[in-house]
Amino acid sequence: MTQRIVIKSLEELSRFSDLFAPADEAQEVRALVPVVSQPTTEADLEALAEAASRAAQELRELAEADAAARREAEEALAQYRWLQSSAARLERVAVEAEALAGRAANLAQQAFDPNCREKAKAIATAIAAVMTTARLRLAALSAELAALSVREDLARLVSEERAREEAARREAEERRREAQLRDGIARAEALAREQKFDEALRLLGSLRKADPTSPVLTSSIETIRRQQWAVKTGEVEKALREVRRFYRREPRQALALLEPQDLSGMPEALVRQVYGCWLQACRRLNLEGAVHYSPTFGRGAVLVPAGDGRLEVVSAIGLRRWKPGSRFSPAALKGARPLS
């Protein structure tokens, strides 16, 4: 005969777990022969549903109890902060009353008019009473504060508040940083439109130190570098076109136009053309004893012997510090060849 069992909690359900899944029953996936499961009765289903309902009710009660505990802790925290504020005010009152009592006592002893001395004495007594009352109330508030300060629930609330404040601070700092980044990029783009590329890249470089992984900043830097490269290439190509028209008859004018050109980062073919044109213009000067010195690709200088045994720069390209008139020892210019 089947006996009906009513289960009112998960704890009671665990006591009858062997009725639903016998511990010694072989698992079907491991059994050598198929295991025939016992049919589930209506009583079993009702018991499971009742247990689930009880568990849900217990969870609701736990949630309500937790909410009530939090409200109680929040009220206690509000009381704690009110006590702190009141204690601070009482401390100020006590300090001021003590100072006033001293002044009143001094006047009671030194006043010229006897009537003033009597009144000052009465004031000193009244103020002393105020000071004593303030001190007593301050002691009582301090005791209440001490009792509240050891409560763990208040400590948890304070910790949560600090976490929220820290999250808000980080969020505000992130907004400030993003705004600063946007403003910096906008200024850099404005400088780029004025073709002040070096200044724009320096500005973006300073911003990158604070945010080295920003994809927006990286994209802006790459865009301005491409703009700089395009403008720079266009300027070099323009100078080359102009020089090709007159460098044979006006070599010095051609050199004045080619020497300031910055060939770093330019296409190799363009560098070869500019460098070759510059070298041809130097040959057109018909310099006696001239030598050609090229430390790296796209950089070089043409020098002539000076009276002191050194070599003097006539023209240089790609070497910013090599100005016409600068002198060097021949031993320092390894690889220099006669300008032919």
Side-chain angles (χ1 to χ4, degrees):
M1 180 176 180
T2 303
Q3 181 179 1
R4 182 172 181 179
I5 301 173
V6 178
I7 299 175
K8 299 182 178 180
S9 66
L10 291 176
E11 182 180 359
E12 294 180 1
L13 177 62
S14 64
R15 299 175 185 174
F16 299 97
S17 59
D18 56 339
L19 296 178
F20 307 107
D24 58 349
E25 183 178 346
Q27 296 184 13
E28 185 174 354
V29 295
R30 298 182 181 179
L32 297 178
V33 295
V35 177
V36 179
S37 301
Q38 295 295 328
T40 302
T41 64
E42 185 69 22
D44 295 337
L45 294 177
E46 291 181 0
L48 289 173
E50 181 68 18
S53 177
R54 290 289 183 182
Q57 179 61 28
E58 289 177 7
L59 287 176
R60 286 193 294 271
E61 292 174 355
L62 285 174
E64 292 174 359
D66 183 68
R70 175 175 288 274
R71 287 193 297 272
E72 181 183 353
E74 290 173 348
E75 292 173 359
L77 182 59
Q79 176 69 9
Y80 180 81
R81 287 174 174 164
W82 180 84
L83 290 172
Q84 281 184 317
S85 176
S86 299
R89 290 199 301 270
L90 281 173
E91 180 66 27
R92 290 194 297 270
V93 169
V95 170
E96 292 176 359
E98 185 176 4
L100 289 173
R103 290 169 54 190
N106 185 51
L107 184 61
Q109 293 178 357
Q110 300 180 2
F112 177 78
D113 188 351
N115 188 32
C116 289
R117 287 198 298 271
E118 290 298 325
K119 290 183 178 180
K121 186 183 298 183
I123 292 174
T125 301
I127 294 177
V130 170
M131 181 185 65
T132 301
T133 302
R135 293 293 184 190
L136 291 174
R137 291 183 179 177
L138 180 59
L141 290 182
S142 299
E144 292 185 53
L145 285 170
L148 289 174
S149 63
V150 298
R151 287 180 52 167
E152 294 184 2
D153 54 350
L154 297 191
R156 286 195 298 271
L157 283 181
V158 171
S159 178
E160 290 176 1
E161 286 186 352
R162 289 175 180 172
R164 287 193 297 270
E165 291 172 357
E166 179 62 20
R169 185 196 64 79
R170 288 195 300 267
E171 184 178 353
E173 177 62 22
E174 181 66 17
R175 289 196 300 269
R176 185 199 64 77
R177 186 190 62 78
E178 290 177 354
Q180 183 179 10
L181 185 62
R182 287 194 301 269
D183 292 343
I185 290 176
R187 293 199 304 273
E189 291 175 350
L191 290 171
R193 286 192 293 271
E194 299 174 5
Q195 297 191 3
K196 298 178 181 179
F197 300 109
D198 291 337
E199 188 176 348
L201 291 173
R202 281 196 299 270
L203 174 58
L204 294 179
S206 64
L207 293 175
R208 196 169 198 171
K209 293 179 181 179
D211 193 356
T213 60
S214 171
V216 177
L217 186 56
T218 299
S219 176
S220 180
I221 291 174
E222 292 176 352
T223 299
I224 291 178
R225 282 176 176 170
R226 287 195 297 269
Q227 293 174 354
Q228 182 184 34
W229 186 89
V231 170
K232 182 178 174 181
T233 303
E235 291 176 350
V236 173
E237 290 175 341
K238 179 181 178 182
L240 180 61
R241 287 194 300 269
E242 292 182 7
V243 166
R244 279 175 170 170
R245 292 199 302 266
F246 62 81
Y247 79 94
R248 290 183 177 85
R249 63 180 183 275
E250 296 291 343
R252 291 194 178 277
Q253 184 178 352
L255 293 176
L257 190 58
L258 291 176
E259 287 173 352
Q261 300 302 319
D262 182 8
L263 303 180
S264 60
M266 295 291 96
E268 181 178 344
L270 179 59
V271 174
R272 290 186 183 279
Q273 294 176 46
V274 174
Y275 195 86
C277 193
W278 167 80
L279 199 57
Q280 289 296 330
C282 289
R283 291 191 178 105
R284 294 266 173 187
L285 295 178
N286 297 320
L287 301 171
E288 185 176 353
V291 296
H292 170 219
Y293 173 70
S294 180
T296 57
F297 176 73
R299 298 181 180 183
V302 170
L303 307 93
V304 295
D308 57 0
R310 295 188 293 173
L311 295 173
E312 182 177 317
V313 176
V314 176
S315 178
I317 188 170
L319 302 171
R320 294 184 178 181
R321 297 183 180 180
W322 292 49
K323 303 299 182 183
S326 301
R327 295 186 177 186
F328 299 90
S329 170
L333 303 179
K334 297 180 180 180
R337 297 290 184 269
L339 180 65
S340 56

